[in-house]
């Protein structure tokens, strides 16, 4: 029994050792990757920085050695043994010391500049890599995941810190090791035991620094969602979009209290971490102080015993101080490298994210829609914990016709659009484009064939031209196309009436001075329609396109509706039954299931849900 316990203990120790070894080799690998990133970002800066730091590693020994020579010469001079050759040596020593001082003085700001330049290059290169990666993530699933936001936040905020610290660690290690070994040789000649004592004192330092580094990382990760919350409260308090309700409902104090409380929690976490660091630092400083005192006592007693010259005393005391400083520097560099490895892992885990909706990597060519789009037994839910939003949906959208989808709030209409546009994939079933599963097409190519206007379309703080042109970003500069799209949406005259027409900036806070303009809700909706028309894609998806339009604008739009939709396959979602009639076919979605399909006349004749909704709405106008 006892043996088994011992065996288990050994196993545990072995696996702990194995863990340390694998963590260590992972860390070395990460450091290598980071240094390579820094080297690639700005090779010259990197190499010069390493060279300068390496050279600086020799300075403490040179300075201490010069001090020894000067002290020994002085002692001889004071005893009246001065000679011309001694004076020559003294001047040479002083000149070397001056040179070292000048080099040190120049190298320090030069290293700072190179460091800053490397930071700039690294920040830009790593942040653009991160944003490129985020941009490549297909679907909305990722962006609804709080953990991903933590990873993005930590990776973006600390991206450049990792490789930069790797460079700093590398240079600090180089500098520290040069200083350490050069002085160790000197001190070993004096007292090997003392060297052993100083070296042993490193162990608690290493332990503490690695522990603290882990704690620092945990604090950043724990605070990450809180920082997002605090930043959100800050935005609510300061951005024009929120100000209206904030003032009307007098919400300023409420959000301010939330901001203060969240920030206090963040600070408390940081305070705990810093207090732990402080306790360790005090302990370690006491330990280092004790060892220094023992070493100085040893040197001074040996000097009194006549075994050391004045110059030796200067050299050894300086060696003790320099070795301790170098060891502390090395330990700090190693702990910083641990920090950077931890943060760098967030960066690499972000870059290694795949895109679940992309199941087929060799895509099929997307031919023009000939027959239509079929939803075949499609079911969907937003996650395992969520209820089914769509259940066994079977629906056919004929090519070049318009299908209207109606249903109560929350029945799943927008979700169906998200599946068609591959923002999500069906949990069960298939969506077929002329019989081919849409997952077999490149999502980018598929979306190029889909122009969509969502209920919550985006209002960009950009020019009018860009707000429309972004519907087809390759033609954003083509004013003629932008104007045509605006005409289709009935917005051209209104835009032309603006002081800077299509160049007007639709933002009150990004435009210079008083040049910013804003549109009404309905005008914005027309702009979003124009963005959709800009695309000239085979399929048009209109999710509540007229909710904010006035009666006249809606009437105008639907007068031209047939003409605008000609040649396109169209899916129209609306709660306004007066406009649903324009569609060739109408489908009713109830609790995630299609319950009725037919023409307006068919469905009225059936006297089921559609007929009931239609009559209710018609009656409210009488
Ligand atoms: N990202 C999401 N995560 C979890 N549930 C969601 C998400 N988006 C929508 N839902 C839920 O799915 C259901 C269907 O929403 P959907 O937006 O498709 O309805 P809708 O028919 O378009 O409603 P409306 O007419 O109000 O626009 C709702 O119950 C909604 O709460």
């Amino acid at each position: 029994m006892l043996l088994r316990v011992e065996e288990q203990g050994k196993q545990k120790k072995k696996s702990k050792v194995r863990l340390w070894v694998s963590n260590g080799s992972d860390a070395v690998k990460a450091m290598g990757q980071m240094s390579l990133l820094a080297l690639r970002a700005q090779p010259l800066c990197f190499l010069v920085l390493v060279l300068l730091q390496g050279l600086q590693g020799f300075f403490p020994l040179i300075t201490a050695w010069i001090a020894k020579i000067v002290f020994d010469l002085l002692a001889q001079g004071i005893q009246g043994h001065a000679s011309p050759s001694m004076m020559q040596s003294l001047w040479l020593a002083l000149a070397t010391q001056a040179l070292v001082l000048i080099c040190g003085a120049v190298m320090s700001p030069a290293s700072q500049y190179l460091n800053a330049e490397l930071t700039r290059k690294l920040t830009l290169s790593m942040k653009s890599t991160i944003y490129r990666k985020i941009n490549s993530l297909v679907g909305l699933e990722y962006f609804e995941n709080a953990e991903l936001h933590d990873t993005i936040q930590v990776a973006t905020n600390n991206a450049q810190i990792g490789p930069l610290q790797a460079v700093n660690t590398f240079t600090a290690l180089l500098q520290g090791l040069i200083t350490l070994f050069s002085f160790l040789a000197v001190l070993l000649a004096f007292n090997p035991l003392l060297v052993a004592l100083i070296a042993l004192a490193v162990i608690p330092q290493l332990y503490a620094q690695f522990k603290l580094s882990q704690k620092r990382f945990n604090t950043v990760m724990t605070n990450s969602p809180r920082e997002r919350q605090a930043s959100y409260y800050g935005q609510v308090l300061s951005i024009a979009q929120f100000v209206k309700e904030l003032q009307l409902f007098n919400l300023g104090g409420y959000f301010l209290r939330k901001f203060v409380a969240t920030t206090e929690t963040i600070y408390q976490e940081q305070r705990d971490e810093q207090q732990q660091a402080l306790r360790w630092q005090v302990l370690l400083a006491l330990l280092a102080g004790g060892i220094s005192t023992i070493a100085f006592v040893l040197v001074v007693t040996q000097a009194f015993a006549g075994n050391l010259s004045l110059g030796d005393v200067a050299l050894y005391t300086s060696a003790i101080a320099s070795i301790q400083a170098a060891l502390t520097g090395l330990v700090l560099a190693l702990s910083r490298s641990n920090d950077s490895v931890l943060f760098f892992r967030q960066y690499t885990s972000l870059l290694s994210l795949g895109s679940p909706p992309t199941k087929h990597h060799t895509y099929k060519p997307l031919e023009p829609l000939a027959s239509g789009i079929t939803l075949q037994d499609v079911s969907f839910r937003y996650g395992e914990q969520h209820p089914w939003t769509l259940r066994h949906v079977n629906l056919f959208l004929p090519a070049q016709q318009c299908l209207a989808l109606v249903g109560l709030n929350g029945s799943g209409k927008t979700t169906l659009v998200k599946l068609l546009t591959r923002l999500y994939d069906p949990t069960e079933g298939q969506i077929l484009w002329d019989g081919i599963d849409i997952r077999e097409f490149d999502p980018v190519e598929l979306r190029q064939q889909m122009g969509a206007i969502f209920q919550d379309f985006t209002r960009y703080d950009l020019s009018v031209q860009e707000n429309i042109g972004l519907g087809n970003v390759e033609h954003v500069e083509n004013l003629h196309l932008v104007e045509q799209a605006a005409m289709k949406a009935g917005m051209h005259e209104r835009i032309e009436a603006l002081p800077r027409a299509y160049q007007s900036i639709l933002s009150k806070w990004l435009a210079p001075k008083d040049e910013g303009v804003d549109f009404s809700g309905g005008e914005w909706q027309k702009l979003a329609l124009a963005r959709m028309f800009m695309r000239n894609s085979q399929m048009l998806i209109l999710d509540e396109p007229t909710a904010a339009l006035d009666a006249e604008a809606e009437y105008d739009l639907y007068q031209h509706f047939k003409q605008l939709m000609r040649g396109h396959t169209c899916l129209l979602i609306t709660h306004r039954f007066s406009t649903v009639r324009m569609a060739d076919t109408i489908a009713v979605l109830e609790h995630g299931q299609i319950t009725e399909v037919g023409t307006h006349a068919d469905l009225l004749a059936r006297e089921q849900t559609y007929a009931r909704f239609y009559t209710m709405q018609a009656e409210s106008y009488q």
Side-chain angles (χ1 to χ4, degrees):
M1 177 74 184
L2 196 67
L3 266 178
R4 203 180 301 156
V5 171
E6 263 180 25
E7 198 57 37
Q8 279 176 352
K10 272 187 200 162
Q11 288 286 343
K12 253 189 185 173
K13 258 187 202 162
K14 259 193 192 166
S15 58
K16 217 172 184 179
V17 170
R18 239 180 257 143
L19 192 73
W20 269 69
V21 171
S22 91
N23 276 348
S25 72
D26 272 4
V28 171
K29 211 165 109 193
M31 291 289 288
Q33 288 173 332
M34 285 188 274
S35 304
L36 210 64
L37 274 176
L39 179 69
R40 282 206 198 114
Q42 181 54 285
L44 192 66
C45 268
F46 178 86
L47 294 173
V48 178
L49 200 62
V50 171
L51 184 74
L52 288 186
Q53 298 288 110
L55 278 177
Q56 280 172 301
F58 290 104
F59 287 180
L61 181 66
I62 299 174
T63 311
W65 208 268
I66 291 171
K68 171 188 160 52
I69 294 172
V70 171
F71 276 112
D72 283 345
L73 289 174
L74 277 179
Q76 288 179 37
I78 290 165
Q79 287 162 14
H81 303 307
S83 66
S85 71
M86 271 174 57
M87 287 311 287
Q88 224 174 1
S89 303
L90 187 66
W91 283 117
L92 189 66
L94 291 177
T96 315
Q97 177 63 27
L99 192 68
V100 168
L101 280 176
I102 291 168
C103 284
V106 175
M107 280 181 183
S108 178
S111 298
Q112 271 175 25
Y113 174 78
L114 291 173
N115 220 305
E117 184 56 20
L118 202 57
T119 310
R120 280 188 282 272
K121 291 276 179 190
L122 264 172
T123 310
L124 187 61
S125 117
M126 296 191 70
K127 284 199 176 170
S128 31
T129 309
I130 290 173
Y131 290 130
R132 211 172 295 127
K133 178 68 203 184
I134 296 171
N135 203 23
S136 76
L137 295 175
V138 180
L140 289 181
E141 230 168 289
Y142 286 112
F143 300 92
E144 293 177 344
N145 178 339
E147 262 175 50
L148 175 80
H149 284 284
D150 290 343
T151 309
I152 293 177
Q153 191 174 330
V154 174
T156 332
N157 291 346
N158 299 284
Q160 78 286 10
I161 294 177
L164 200 73
Q165 278 185 352
V167 176
N168 289 338
T169 305
F170 184 65
T171 52
L173 282 177
L174 185 72
Q175 189 177 348
L177 285 174
I178 290 173
T179 308
L180 184 70
F181 281 108
S182 53
F183 274 116
L184 271 182
V186 170
L187 208 60
L188 267 174
F190 168 62
N191 189 335
L193 267 178
L194 187 62
V195 174
L197 187 67
I198 295 176
L200 275 179
V202 171
I203 296 170
Q205 284 209 41
L206 266 177
Y207 173 78
Q209 291 300 349
F210 277 93
K211 226 175 136 59
L212 293 174
S213 154
Q214 189 65 49
K215 174 87 179 156
R216 268 196 300 277
F217 177 75
N218 290 343
T219 307
V220 170
M221 288 310 281
T222 315
N223 275 341
S224 172
R226 293 174 187 149
E227 272 165 9
R228 273 206 306 283
Q229 280 165 7
S231 150
Y232 173 71
Y233 301 140
Q235 279 181 22
V236 172
L237 283 163
S238 54
I239 291 187
Q241 176 195 345
F242 299 103
V243 166
K244 218 174 0 161
E245 281 209 11
L246 213 68
Q247 295 198 354
L248 208 61
F249 295 130
N250 193 21
L251 300 177
Y254 180 78
F255 278 99
L256 189 63
R257 280 193 296 282
K258 269 179 144 359
F259 173 79
V260 171
T262 314
T263 310
E264 273 299 338
T265 320
I266 294 172
Y267 288 168
Q268 188 53 46
E269 194 81 28
Q270 291 174 349
R271 204 172 286 129
D272 289 348
E273 175 228 308
Q274 284 163 7
Q275 282 172 358
Q276 189 185 5
L278 186 68
R279 282 193 292 274
W280 271 105
Q281 274 158 3
V282 170
L283 266 177
L284 293 173
L286 287 175
L287 183 70
I291 291 174
S292 298
T293 314
I294 296 172
F296 283 125
V297 170
L298 268 176
V299 172
V300 174
T301 47
Q302 287 288 315
F304 266 107
N307 296 333
L308 297 179
S309 71
L310 206 55
D312 288 337
V313 174
L315 180 63
Y316 292 142
T317 47
S318 158
I320 293 160
S322 297
I323 287 177
Q324 278 199 323
L327 283 173
T328 310
L330 286 175
V331 169
L332 270 178
L334 285 173
S335 96
R336 275 204 306 263
S337 76
N338 196 40
D339 279 7
S340 46
V341 168
L342 291 172
F343 286 119
F344 189 67
R345 279 195 190 133
Q346 299 295 308
Y347 174 77
T348 46
S349 74
L350 179 67
L351 293 197
S352 65
L353 280 181
S355 299
T358 313
K359 285 182 188 143
H360 303 265
H361 290 289
T362 43
Y363 298 117
K364 287 197 170 158
L366 186 70
E367 303 294 341
L369 190 67
S371 162
I373 295 173
T374 314
L375 280 89
Q376 196 172 286
D377 204 19
V378 168
S379 296
F380 178 78
R381 57 176 169 190
Y382 280 96
E384 304 240 317
Q385 315 296 326
H386 293 257
W388 290 100
T389 304
L390 295 173
R391 200 68 182 132
H392 304 302
V393 170
N394 287 294
L395 188 65
F396 183 62
L397 282 81
Q400 303 195 7
Q401 286 197 21
C402 186
L403 182 131
L405 192 62
V406 296
L408 292 178
N409 292 133
S411 54
K413 302 180 296 295
T414 303
T415 305
L416 197 141
V417 172
K418 289 180 191 164
L419 297 188
L420 277 173
T421 48
R422 294 223 45 220
L423 294 173
Y424 296 95
D425 279 337
T427 316
E428 289 170 11
Q430 284 181 303
I431 300 177
L432 307 167
W433 176 283
D434 280 344
I436 301 173
D437 192 318
I438 58 169
R439 281 172 287 202
E440 297 199 30
F441 302 122
D442 178 353
V444 177
E445 209 182 318
L446 181 77
R447 287 180 192 148
Q448 254 160 13
Q449 293 312 324
M450 294 189 174
I453 169 172
F454 285 101
Q455 294 173 55
D456 54 349
F457 57 84
T458 308
R459 301 172 183 213
Y460 296 101
D461 283 54
L462 297 171
S463 70
V464 175
Q465 178 168 349
E466 286 170 301
N467 259 290
I468 298 173
L470 288 182
N472 193 350
V473 71
E474 280 160 28
H475 296 289
V476 66
E477 305 286 343
N478 188 334
L479 184 60
H480 177 64
L481 279 185
V482 170
E483 282 177 349
Q484 280 188 331
M487 279 173 204
K488 282 186 186 172
M491 256 312 261
H492 179 63
E493 279 81 26
R494 171 74 183 95
I495 296 168
E496 284 285 285
L498 293 170
R500 297 190 61 216
Y502 281 84
Q503 303 321 315
S504 312
I505 304 289
L506 283 166
S507 169
K508 288 279 185 187
W509 67 290
L510 282 185
K513 291 201 191 120
D514 288 333
E515 286 182 21
V517 293
D518 200 359
F519 279 151
S520 72
E523 288 167 338
W524 266 109
Q525 192 152 36
K526 286 185 199 172
L527 213 67
L529 265 172
R531 192 183 301 153
M532 181 193 75
F533 288 131
M534 186 74 196
R535 215 162 170 78
N536 195 27
S537 36
Q538 290 187 53
M539 179 154 192
L540 298 177
I541 299 172
L542 301 100
D543 189 353
E544 285 294 345
T546 58
L549 296 193
D550 59 42
E552 193 181 323
E554 191 181 8
Y555 179 79
D556 276 356
L557 181 72
Y558 284 108
Q559 282 302 307
H560 302 114
F561 192 77
K562 286 270 173 201
Q563 189 194 337
L564 289 171
M565 297 302 136
R566 190 164 299 138
H568 298 284
T569 306
C570 150
L571 175 66
L572 169 71
I573 295 177
T574 179
H575 289 293
R576 300 205 188 181
F577 283 79
S578 54
T579 58
V580 172
R581 296 161 56 166
M582 316 274 175
D584 301 295
T585 320
I586 298 159
V588 181
L589 192 62
E590 286 182 274
H591 308 297
Q593 292 183 314
I594 299 287
T595 51
E596 288 171 61
V597 181
T599 63
H600 173 70
D602 286 345
L603 299 187
L604 276 190
R606 273 205 208 175
E607 295 185 353
Q608 302 264 318
T609 311
Y610 178 83
R612 194 157 44 85
F613 287 161
Y614 180 79
T615 321
M616 261 158 54
Q617 223 173 59
E619 275 172 2
S620 65
Y621 284 117
Q622 281 163 13

PDB file of all heavy atoms in Angstrom, residues 495-509:
ATOM      1  N   ILE A 495     -30.480  63.888 -51.789  1.00  0.00           N
ATOM      2  CA  ILE A 495     -29.017  63.938 -51.638  1.00  0.00           C
ATOM      3  C   ILE A 495     -28.458  65.155 -52.385  1.00  0.00           C
ATOM      4  O   ILE A 495     -27.595  65.872 -51.876  1.00  0.00           O
ATOM      5  CB  ILE A 495     -28.352  62.629 -52.147  1.00  0.00           C
ATOM      6  CG1 ILE A 495     -28.810  61.447 -51.291  1.00  0.00           C
ATOM      7  CG2 ILE A 495     -26.832  62.726 -52.131  1.00  0.00           C
ATOM      8  CD1 ILE A 495     -28.473  60.083 -51.846  1.00  0.00           C
ATOM      9  N   GLU A 496     -28.987  65.384 -53.583  1.00  0.00           N
ATOM     10  CA  GLU A 496     -28.508  66.518 -54.384  1.00  0.00           C
ATOM     11  C   GLU A 496     -28.751  67.849 -53.669  1.00  0.00           C
ATOM     12  O   GLU A 496     -28.011  68.815 -53.850  1.00  0.00           O
ATOM     13  CB  GLU A 496     -29.234  66.549 -55.739  1.00  0.00           C
ATOM     14  CG  GLU A 496     -28.717  65.509 -56.711  1.00  0.00           C
ATOM     15  CD  GLU A 496     -27.369  65.900 -57.306  1.00  0.00           C
ATOM     16  OE1 GLU A 496     -27.333  66.776 -58.156  1.00  0.00           O
ATOM     17  OE2 GLU A 496     -26.341  65.312 -56.869  1.00  0.00           O
ATOM     18  N   ALA A 497     -29.776  67.879 -52.824  1.00  0.00           N
ATOM     19  CA  ALA A 497     -30.109  69.122 -52.117  1.00  0.00           C
ATOM     20  C   ALA A 497     -29.139  69.405 -50.956  1.00  0.00           C
ATOM     21  O   ALA A 497     -29.122  70.507 -50.407  1.00  0.00           O
ATOM     22  CB  ALA A 497     -31.538  69.042 -51.593  1.00  0.00           C
ATOM     23  N   LEU A 498     -28.318  68.426 -50.590  1.00  0.00           N
ATOM     24  CA  LEU A 498     -27.367  68.643 -49.483  1.00  0.00           C
ATOM     25  C   LEU A 498     -26.237  69.565 -49.941  1.00  0.00           C
ATOM     26  O   LEU A 498     -25.870  69.556 -51.123  1.00  0.00           O
ATOM     27  CB  LEU A 498     -26.743  67.299 -49.052  1.00  0.00           C
ATOM     28  CG  LEU A 498     -27.674  66.271 -48.394  1.00  0.00           C
ATOM     29  CD1 LEU A 498     -26.968  64.927 -48.261  1.00  0.00           C
ATOM     30  CD2 LEU A 498     -28.143  66.767 -47.037  1.00  0.00           C
ATOM     31  N   PRO A 499     -25.660  70.376 -49.029  1.00  0.00           N
ATOM     32  CA  PRO A 499     -24.621  71.323 -49.451  1.00  0.00           C
ATOM     33  C   PRO A 499     -23.462  70.643 -50.197  1.00  0.00           C
ATOM     34  O   PRO A 499     -22.940  71.183 -51.155  1.00  0.00           O
ATOM     35  CB  PRO A 499     -24.114  71.913 -48.123  1.00  0.00           C
ATOM     36  CG  PRO A 499     -25.155  71.588 -47.122  1.00  0.00           C
ATOM     37  CD  PRO A 499     -25.955  70.438 -47.615  1.00  0.00           C
ATOM     38  N   ARG A 500     -23.083  69.458 -49.767  1.00  0.00           N
ATOM     39  CA  ARG A 500     -21.981  68.786 -50.461  1.00  0.00           C
ATOM     40  C   ARG A 500     -22.464  67.509 -51.158  1.00  0.00           C
ATOM     41  O   ARG A 500     -21.688  66.574 -51.392  1.00  0.00           O
ATOM     42  CB  ARG A 500     -20.851  68.468 -49.470  1.00  0.00           C
ATOM     43  CG  ARG A 500     -20.241  69.743 -48.865  1.00  0.00           C
ATOM     44  CD  ARG A 500     -18.983  69.442 -48.088  1.00  0.00           C
ATOM     45  NE  ARG A 500     -17.966  68.851 -48.931  1.00  0.00           N
ATOM     46  CZ  ARG A 500     -17.112  67.902 -48.526  1.00  0.00           C
ATOM     47  NH1 ARG A 500     -17.184  67.469 -47.302  1.00  0.00           N
ATOM     48  NH2 ARG A 500     -16.207  67.423 -49.356  1.00  0.00           N
ATOM     49  N   ALA A 501     -23.760  67.470 -51.454  1.00  0.00           N
ATOM     50  CA  ALA A 501     -24.396  66.362 -52.181  1.00  0.00           C
ATOM     51  C   ALA A 501     -23.871  64.996 -51.726  1.00  0.00           C
ATOM     52  O   ALA A 501     -23.934  64.678 -50.541  1.00  0.00           O
ATOM     53  CB  ALA A 501     -24.231  66.556 -53.683  1.00  0.00           C
ATOM     54  N   TYR A 502     -23.332  64.217 -52.669  1.00  0.00           N
ATOM     55  CA  TYR A 502     -22.922  62.850 -52.345  1.00  0.00           C
ATOM     56  C   TYR A 502     -21.670  62.804 -51.460  1.00  0.00           C
ATOM     57  O   TYR A 502     -21.313  61.760 -50.934  1.00  0.00           O
ATOM     58  CB  TYR A 502     -22.682  62.049 -53.628  1.00  0.00           C
ATOM     59  CG  TYR A 502     -23.978  61.570 -54.241  1.00  0.00           C
ATOM     60  CD1 TYR A 502     -24.720  62.408 -55.071  1.00  0.00           C
ATOM     61  CD2 TYR A 502     -24.473  60.309 -53.970  1.00  0.00           C
ATOM     62  CE1 TYR A 502     -25.917  61.990 -55.623  1.00  0.00           C
ATOM     63  CE2 TYR A 502     -25.670  59.872 -54.498  1.00  0.00           C
ATOM     64  CZ  TYR A 502     -26.396  60.715 -55.328  1.00  0.00           C
ATOM     65  OH  TYR A 502     -27.593  60.299 -55.852  1.00  0.00           O
ATOM     66  N   GLN A 503     -20.988  63.951 -51.347  1.00  0.00           N
ATOM     67  CA  GLN A 503     -19.765  63.955 -50.520  1.00  0.00           C
ATOM     68  C   GLN A 503     -20.065  64.346 -49.066  1.00  0.00           C
ATOM     69  O   GLN A 503     -19.162  64.391 -48.227  1.00  0.00           O
ATOM     70  CB  GLN A 503     -18.715  64.927 -51.095  1.00  0.00           C
ATOM     71  CG  GLN A 503     -18.322  64.647 -52.536  1.00  0.00           C
ATOM     72  CD  GLN A 503     -18.203  63.152 -52.831  1.00  0.00           C
ATOM     73  OE1 GLN A 503     -17.624  62.394 -52.054  1.00  0.00           O
ATOM     74  NE2 GLN A 503     -18.794  62.721 -53.946  1.00  0.00           N
ATOM     75  N   SER A 504     -21.317  64.640 -48.767  1.00  0.00           N
ATOM     76  CA  SER A 504     -21.672  65.024 -47.388  1.00  0.00           C
ATOM     77  C   SER A 504     -21.353  63.867 -46.448  1.00  0.00           C
ATOM     78  O   SER A 504     -21.599  62.695 -46.779  1.00  0.00           O
ATOM     79  CB  SER A 504     -23.162  65.331 -47.280  1.00  0.00           C
ATOM     80  OG  SER A 504     -23.528  66.189 -48.320  1.00  0.00           O
ATOM     81  N   ILE A 505     -20.827  64.220 -45.276  1.00  0.00           N
ATOM     82  CA  ILE A 505     -20.488  63.174 -44.297  1.00  0.00           C
ATOM     83  C   ILE A 505     -21.697  62.939 -43.385  1.00  0.00           C
ATOM     84  O   ILE A 505     -22.214  63.873 -42.770  1.00  0.00           O
ATOM     85  CB  ILE A 505     -19.268  63.595 -43.442  1.00  0.00           C
ATOM     86  CG1 ILE A 505     -18.068  63.924 -44.334  1.00  0.00           C
ATOM     87  CG2 ILE A 505     -18.919  62.515 -42.418  1.00  0.00           C
ATOM     88  CD1 ILE A 505     -17.407  62.766 -45.018  1.00  0.00           C
ATOM     89  N   LEU A 506     -22.102  61.683 -43.290  1.00  0.00           N
ATOM     90  CA  LEU A 506     -23.265  61.351 -42.458  1.00  0.00           C
ATOM     91  C   LEU A 506     -22.815  61.075 -41.029  1.00  0.00           C
ATOM     92  O   LEU A 506     -22.969  59.965 -40.514  1.00  0.00           O
ATOM     93  CB  LEU A 506     -23.976  60.136 -43.055  1.00  0.00           C
ATOM     94  CG  LEU A 506     -24.832  60.476 -44.277  1.00  0.00           C
ATOM     95  CD1 LEU A 506     -25.227  59.233 -45.027  1.00  0.00           C
ATOM     96  CD2 LEU A 506     -26.070  61.261 -43.872  1.00  0.00           C
ATOM     97  N   SER A 507     -22.236  62.075 -40.437  1.00  0.00           N
ATOM     98  CA  SER A 507     -21.772  61.921 -39.059  1.00  0.00           C
ATOM     99  C   SER A 507     -21.592  63.292 -38.453  1.00  0.00           C
ATOM    100  O   SER A 507     -21.053  64.196 -39.082  1.00  0.00           O
ATOM    101  CB  SER A 507     -20.423  61.188 -39.046  1.00  0.00           C
ATOM    102  OG  SER A 507     -19.860  61.247 -37.763  1.00  0.00           O
ATOM    103  N   LYS A 508     -22.061  63.424 -37.228  1.00  0.00           N
ATOM    104  CA  LYS A 508     -21.921  64.732 -36.571  1.00  0.00           C
ATOM    105  C   LYS A 508     -20.599  64.797 -35.805  1.00  0.00           C
ATOM    106  O   LYS A 508     -20.162  65.872 -35.423  1.00  0.00           O
ATOM    107  CB  LYS A 508     -23.083  64.948 -35.599  1.00  0.00           C
ATOM    108  CG  LYS A 508     -24.407  65.213 -36.289  1.00  0.00           C
ATOM    109  CD  LYS A 508     -24.496  66.655 -36.712  1.00  0.00           C
ATOM    110  CE  LYS A 508     -25.860  66.971 -37.307  1.00  0.00           C
ATOM    111  NZ  LYS A 508     -25.913  68.308 -37.871  1.00  0.00           N
ATOM    112  N   TRP A 509     -19.986  63.668 -35.555  1.00  0.00           N
ATOM    113  CA  TRP A 509     -18.783  63.728 -34.719  1.00  0.00           C
ATOM    114  C   TRP A 509     -17.499  63.406 -35.463  1.00  0.00           C
ATOM    115  O   TRP A 509     -16.422  63.650 -34.967  1.00  0.00           O
ATOM    116  CB  TRP A 509     -18.931  62.870 -33.460  1.00  0.00           C
ATOM    117  CG  TRP A 509     -18.996  61.391 -33.708  1.00  0.00           C
ATOM    118  CD1 TRP A 509     -20.027  60.714 -34.283  1.00  0.00           C
ATOM    119  CD2 TRP A 509     -18.008  60.424 -33.396  1.00  0.00           C
ATOM    120  NE1 TRP A 509     -19.739  59.392 -34.344  1.00  0.00           N
ATOM    121  CE2 TRP A 509     -18.512  59.168 -33.809  1.00  0.00           C
ATOM    122  CE3 TRP A 509     -16.742  60.468 -32.803  1.00  0.00           C
ATOM    123  CZ2 TRP A 509     -17.796  57.991 -33.644  1.00  0.00           C
ATOM    124  CZ3 TRP A 509     -16.036  59.286 -32.644  1.00  0.00           C
ATOM    125  CH2 TRP A 509     -16.561  58.074 -33.064  1.00  0.00           C
TER     126      TRP A 509
END
